[in-house]
Each structure stands twice: as C-alpha cells, then as structure tokens.
Amino acid sequence: MTVTDIATRTYNHGWRLDPIIRSLLDTDFYKLLMLQMIRAFHPEVEVTFSLINRSKHIRLADIVDEAELRAQLDHAREVRFSKKELIWLAGNSFYGKTQMFSPEFIAWLADFRLPEYDLRKVDGQYELHFEGPWTHTTMWEVPALAIINELRARRVMVGQKRFSLDVLYARAKAKMWDKVERLQTLPNLRLSDFGTRRRHGHLWQRWCVEALKEGLGPAFGGTSNVLLAMDNDLEAIGTNAHELPMVLAALADSDEDLRRAPYRVLDEWRQVYGGNLLIALPDAFGTTAFLRDAPDWVADWTGFRPDSAPPIPAGEEIIAWWRERGRDPREKLLVFSDGLDVDAIERVYRHFDGKVRMAFGWGTDLTNDLVGCSPDGSRALDPMSLVCKVTKANGRPAVKLSDNPEKVSGEGEAVARYRRVFADHEIS
Amino acid sequence: MTVTDIATRTYNHGWRLDPIIRSLLDTDFYKLLMLQMIRAFHPEVEVTFSLINRSKHIRLADIVDEAELRAQLDHAREVRFSKKELIWLAGNSFYGKTQMFSPEFIAWLADFRLPEYDLRKVDGQYELHFEGPWTHTTMWEVPALAIINELRARRVMVGQKRFSLDVLYARAKAKMWDKVERLQTLPNLRLSDFGTRRRHGHLWQRWCVEALKEGLGPAFGGTSNVLLAMDNDLEAIGTNAHELPMVLAALADSDEDLRRAPYRVLDEWRQVYGGNLLIALPDAFGTTAFLRDAPDWVADWTGFRPDSAPPIPAGEEIIAWWRERGRDPREKLLVFSDGLDVDAIERVYRHFDGKVRMAFGWGTDLTNDLVGCSPDGSRALDPMSLVCKVTKANGRPAVKLSDNPEKVSGEGEAVARYRRVFADHEIS
C-alpha cells in the first residue's frame, strides 16, 4: 500500500523553485576564516570576482537557462544566516580552538547578504561578475559555482526516466563505495571533503560526506562545507585561498611591495589565527619563488598546501626546503588538494608515508564523479572545470601565475609584470 | 526540510509484522494454469509438498526464527484473492487468449485459502510439509519458498547500518543494470522473469522486473509473477511444472502406466489448453527416455522446456528429435530456465540463434544476485538452493529423476524402480 502524502504533494505543486543554496553556511569554511581577516585588515577594498569556464567546449549558456540561473542567484541573495547557524559558529570549536570567530564578527554576519551580480550571455557562455566590497563579493565564489554546476546537472537529467535516474545514482553510489573501500586500506590516511564548489548537487554531496563518515571513520577528517559539518557533527576544514595573495599583490604599489605581498598575507593571517590554521599556500606566483624569498618564520608554520604543481615533486621541494631551514619534515603537514582521484591519493600517500604528515582535500572526484554512470552512456554529467576568481582589486588587475600554466589568470600585461617580478632569481 | 509524516510513522509503530505474502497472485502463473487442470482431472488426489534444502551447509533453522516463520506462514493463510484480482484474472488475456480461466474456476478461487502446514526443526533445518488435497497444497510451493528466502535475507540484514544497506542495494542495482546492458545487445532476445521463488525479497523482485521492462522493452516477455504482471501490465508467463508428471507417475499402478504417465499429463493438458501453452517439460524422468517413447503428436506441440540438462546438448537433442519426426525446428520454441546467468544466456542464444525460436526464463541470477554487494564482504546473502517438491501422492512416494543427478528426489526404492522403468532402452 503506497500512501501518497497529500499535504506534501500539494505543497510541491506550489514550488516555484527548488533552491540550490538554502543556507549561507553551504559554502567552504575557509571563506569565513578569510572573511574575518579581510574585515580586520582590508574592509575598504573593492574586489571583483568573475566566473571563468576553463572547459570552453561546454557552451554553458546553451545548457543552463538564464531565467533559471537568475532565479537561483536571486534566491541565494535572499538567504540570511539563521540564529541557529550563528550560535553554532560562535559556540563550536574549530581546529581545537573555541571562539574562532569574534562576537563582533558574528554580529556582523547576522546582517550579511550576498551582494548584486552582473550576468550576461556572450557567445554561448555566461559572463558573471560580482563587483563590490571584498567583504561581500568573496562570499559569492562557492555558491555561484555550486549553483551553476547543479543547474547544469539538473538540465541534463530533465526528462530522464525514473529507472535511468535510479540506475544512475545506484552506479554512482557503488562507484563511490568502491573508492571508500580502497581508501580503507591506507592506515594513516587523513582525508577531507573539499568538493562543494564542483559538486553534482547538494544532496549528492551530502550523501558522499555521510558515506565517508561511516566508511572511513577517524580517517575522515571532516568537510570544507560548513553546513554539512554542522549537520553531521564533523570538523569544518580549510584555511585560506589564492584570493588573499592575489588581492594583496594587486594592491602593491611597487615591484618590491609586489614581491613581498605573499608574505604580508601570512603575516596578517598569523595575527588573526594560529596553530593548525598556519597552512601556507605557496603557489599563487610560483612555489619556487615563494620558497626562495620566504622569511625564516614561514618555516615555523604548520605546513603547506601545494595546489597546482604535480604533488610528489611539489612535496619533495617543500620537504627539501624545510630540511635546509633545519626543520624536521615529520613534524610538518602537507595538504594535497589539486585534482585528486583515488589513484593519486594512493600514489602520494605511499610516496610520503612516514616522511611527512599528510592530509588530502578530495574535491571533484568525490562529489561529482558520475562518469560512466548514465544508462544512456551520455557524458553530459562529466564534471567541468569552472572557477570563480578575483579579477580586480581596487580597479587594478589581479593575477595568478600558479605552478600550472593552465591555471594562469589575469591580463597579459599584468601577467608579464608578475612573471618578471617573481622570476627565478635572487632578490637584488 | 524533511517532513516526517506523523500518521505513517504512528501506523508503523503498530506493525506486528511486515508481511511477505500480501496477495495470492504473488505466485507463479503456471500454478494457476496447473490448478485449473488439477481441479478438472484430479480433484480428489491428496498430495504432500515438502521443503528441501539442497544447500545443506546453510543451517536454516539457526538463521530464520521459528516464530517469525510461523507468523509469516500464518499471515499467508489469511490472504484471499481480492475482487480486483479475480476480475483481472477473468478479464485479462493470457498468451493471446481471453477467458483462459473458466467462470467456475474463478468462483472457486474466491473462497480459496492456503491449507495448513506442518513445521518442525530437525538438526538445524526446518522440516516443512503441506499435506492435503492437491488443489490446495500445490499453491504453497511458491509462497513458502519466497517467505523462507526473504526471512533469511531479512535476518542477515538486521542491524546493518543505513549506509551499508544503501550501498548494498546501490551495488545490486548497478550490477543488475550491467546485465541489462549486456542483454540489450542480443537483437532477437526474448526473456522473462522466473525468479519469484528464489527472490531476495518482493520489493527487490519488483525493482528488477520494472527495470527489465524499461531496459529491455519488447525483448522482455513478461514475468511468471502474476501480481507483478498485473501491476505492471506485463504478460504473465509460464505453463506447467514437474509436479504434474510426478503425481501422475506416483498414481500409476503398473510399470506400463508409469511409463505412459508423462504423456498422459500432456494429453490432459491439451484438453484444457492449446496454442502457445503447449510447452512440454521433458526431463522429469530423463529427456532421452521421454523423447524416445513419445507419441508422434508430442512433436506437434509448440516447444519444450529443457530444465535440468546442460542447455546446448539438451536443445540439440530436441532439435534432432524434431527433425527425425519431420518437423522444422525454426518453427519450434525452446524455453531455457535452468540456473541461467547472463553468460549462459549469451552462450545459448548465440548457439541457437536462427536454428530455433528461444525464450529464456531468468530466475535466481535475476532476482537474488546480491553476490559481492555487501560492504562487509559477507556472503550471507548469496542465494541458496531451496525447493518445495511433491513427495507423496495418495500416500505413494513421488519421484523425480531429472537429467541432473543433483536434482533427483524421492525415496531410494522408488527411485530405483523409476530408473528401471525409464531405462535407456526401447519399450518392449
């Protein structure tokens, strides 16, 4: 006997929208940490974030309906932090520390809303920009990406039959659990979910996170998604991102200031946070230059998150640097988070096990791997490479060089200047 | 927002039992066809059906709780044909024929209930017998097997975590759909579900049948399960079973009568049914003897269902026999139904494609293949070989020789007599 719940059914008839973003905590934890620091040091800076589709062959504007996209973005702008969420942010401990967020910051969040957006279609793609105070535009990055990724997936799945969808998710679950079983064999593994921005959808990310909690137990360190951390009593994971050195570099007046910008970021960061949060991101303008020019106190930090160079050489370079500076790598932490799949995790784990502490931030391959799962053999759900990056700060172009030529962002002239300033030679 | 439906939840609190058999149509179609014939020709015969566990290493009585088993058997005895079901049986066409069941038979079904059972535990196994009029005990076979198989599966899954179960079924669905995709490549395939008696559970069989309907389209001929046929507008599939020759053989007074019993079955059958239902089961006492001694009119039947010999030699033997008798095998049908998996279906299909019409009755490998799906690696859900066979007719022992020595059933002395009577020599 199937009982149809008439009230639920009737309520559903009235849906105008199935909202993708239903909470401002449905974002990455490091966004909140960075936001608190931005408010403390750079409350007046104006920053533009822009959508960049690195998978240019996917004509997003031909797939995702503009009205639907606007409806989702508009809905996200209506969402506020709820009382429960703010109480949890204030009362929970993060990385072993209570009161990570100041009462003043929490009070400020209570009035927070996402700022306006600027959307247009150009040649089969969306141009989407968020312009305004850094303290507000920074918060668009993750929800904007999550919205576009999920809208694309929904569009692909519209009209699929009930069994096709059932089999699609059954295969995705089976595929995911096969990965969990492989990861279970790595005794010292420590891995977290970093997949919010690239997820197939919110509900699927939730399933993946809950599956990791049950399947990996203590090896599962937590999730970068603050909402899922709260709902599942998991650790919220994350520290900081490229936007900090990119904005501070853009604000630098001289080449010397530019060269010092990455360390200024770390200096501001350590004034706000300490301990396990002292994880440096070395690759904004090239890891080699970063290490070469770093002040000695950077070697006292807990660790690094190499994010664009191949992980084994990048880790070895950092380990050698620690040794040169007289630090013991076995007391240090490397966080790997760039395009990891289980093969890569196993390879990196086996290479570094016993040499350095490791943590893995598992993203797209965790929360958006439905590859090969569609009963119709379609590849339309394969993940795409979509980012939302700082493109301007106080009107000046923002640049990222990265260790990976495909991840360079910025205008040609500015990129050339950065290349010169961070070139592979000693500071004069 | 998850809304808990309070009424449903409260209703569930009051459950004393989650019944396995909720409809008397939740059985194999051939049971109803045979029942109509049994009522016409043998209304007074007393037949005992008995449970036989061929997987002796599985100590069923240590797994399945006796009180639970009794509760399920008792519940099945409370179930009656509903009006809707009887109207459908009367009004639906089967094998292209309307009014397959006489109004008198339908009226008789309205008062039908399953008869008493005799259950006891002996040495870690259940002895379960159904004694009484053949017109009643025959109807226990399928529900009794379905109940025991599902109770065993439920017991194995009690206490498993939510995610383990979710992954278990996700894998089973993915595994099942991989099979569907292989079967989709066979252009002239005709396949039906024969998996009721060995199913993992009713809901799982329902999923598998609905998946085949969507996945195979017209290649899916239907299901032997009458309830699922009705609910999904599928053809109900099946003709007759070994119990007919076994009972008629047991009733035979002389060796000559015994030798003629398998053909007497067919003669009675053709008086009730015709056309596509004229499918003979040749192996009750050995296919070779059956073919050797068969009257010529048996070669006019639509086809055979070889059910215990290896399918390719069995099919070739029958094809050669048709040719000897001057019939064109390409107009004949072979129904394969013995322990088929997809490998076997492909092999048999490729061997006979173009030589003879074929249909496949897919059983255990369809509805009870969770092998390798348990996240804990357990094999406790692997299917077992459980049958419910005629053991006596009017007090005399019933025997099956079969083409497979493992499927012999009956008492030693009676088996010896049957072996002698059906021995591999010409009738004198």
Side-chain angles (χ1 to χ4, degrees), chain B residues 233-249:
Chain B
D233 272 346
L234 289 165
E235 291 292 323
I237 303 290
T239 50
N240 50 61
H242 293 110
E243 66 182 280
L244 299 182
M246 287 172 74
V247 171
L248 269 60

Side-chain angles (χ1 to χ4, degrees), chain B residues 121-339:
Chain B
K121 280 190 193 183
V122 179
D123 192 23
Q125 299 291 350
Y126 283 115
E127 283 200 355
L128 178 57
H129 302 286
F130 306 100
E131 296 184 28
W134 192 9
T135 52
H136 286 71
T137 55
T138 183
M139 291 295 281
W140 258 123
E141 179 188 5
V142 179
L145 292 172
I147 284 171
I148 295 172
N149 277 312
E150 185 162 346
L151 278 183
R152 170 176 172 250
R154 286 186 186 181
R155 177 54 55 178
V156 170
M157 295 187 293
V158 160
Q160 287 196 15
K161 290 187 187 168
R162 190 168 65 94
F163 261 85
S164 293
L165 293 172
D166 198 9
V167 169
L168 173 75
Y169 285 111
R171 283 182 171 169
K173 287 178 178 178
K175 192 175 187 190
M176 164 63 188
W177 199 262
D178 289 347
K179 296 178 188 176
V180 170
E181 291 188 346
R182 286 174 62 186
L183 294 171
Q184 283 170 343
T185 64
L186 308 179
N188 302 314
L189 182 70
R190 189 153 181 93
L191 171 146
S192 303
D193 158 39
F194 276 20
T196 300
R197 66 191 60 206
R198 293 272 174 80
R199 69 192 181 196
H200 167 72
H202 172 80
L203 292 175
W204 178 241
Q205 184 187 18
R206 186 175 286 269
W207 190 93
C208 293
V209 164
E210 293 177 3
L212 286 180
K213 183 180 177 184
E214 178 155 329
L216 293 185
F220 182 46
T223 169
S224 66
N225 187 296
V226 195
L227 181 63
L228 293 176
M230 179 177 78
D231 286 349
N232 295 288
D233 272 346
L234 289 165
E235 291 292 323
I237 303 290
T239 50
N240 50 61
H242 293 110
E243 66 182 280
L244 299 182
M246 287 172 74
V247 171
L248 269 60
L251 299 178
D253 287 320
S254 67
D255 286 358
E256 185 54 30
D257 277 0
L258 173 57
R259 197 174 279 126
R260 292 289 166 206
Y263 315 108
R264 193 174 147 213
V265 168
L266 303 190
D267 191 45
E268 290 176 359
W269 187 263
R270 64 178 177 166
Q271 292 178 52
V272 186
Y273 305 111
N276 292 329
L277 286 182
L278 297 180
I279 305 294
L281 197 56
D283 66 328
F285 312 115
T287 296
T288 303
F290 178 91
L291 295 175
R292 182 194 64 215
D293 299 340
D296 191 67
W297 55 263
V298 174
D300 290 328
W301 276 39
T302 304
F304 282 94
R305 178 160 74 90
D307 195 47
S308 56
I312 291 175
E316 288 294 350
E317 184 178 4
I318 293 165
I319 286 173
W321 180 84
W322 274 321
R323 290 216 180 94
E324 274 168 33
R325 306 260 171 157
R327 271 67 165 195
D328 182 354
R330 286 169 302 178
E331 292 170 7
K332 297 294 186 181
L333 178 67
L334 289 177
V335 180
F336 296 99
S337 60
D338 181 32

Side-chain angles (χ1 to χ4, degrees), chain A residues 36-43 264 267-269 271-272:
Chain A
Q36 182 165 242
M37 180 190 126
I38 292 165
R39 282 197 68 247
F41 289 94
H42 310 284
R264 193 175 147 213
D267 191 45
E268 290 176 358
W269 187 262
Q271 292 177 53
V272 185

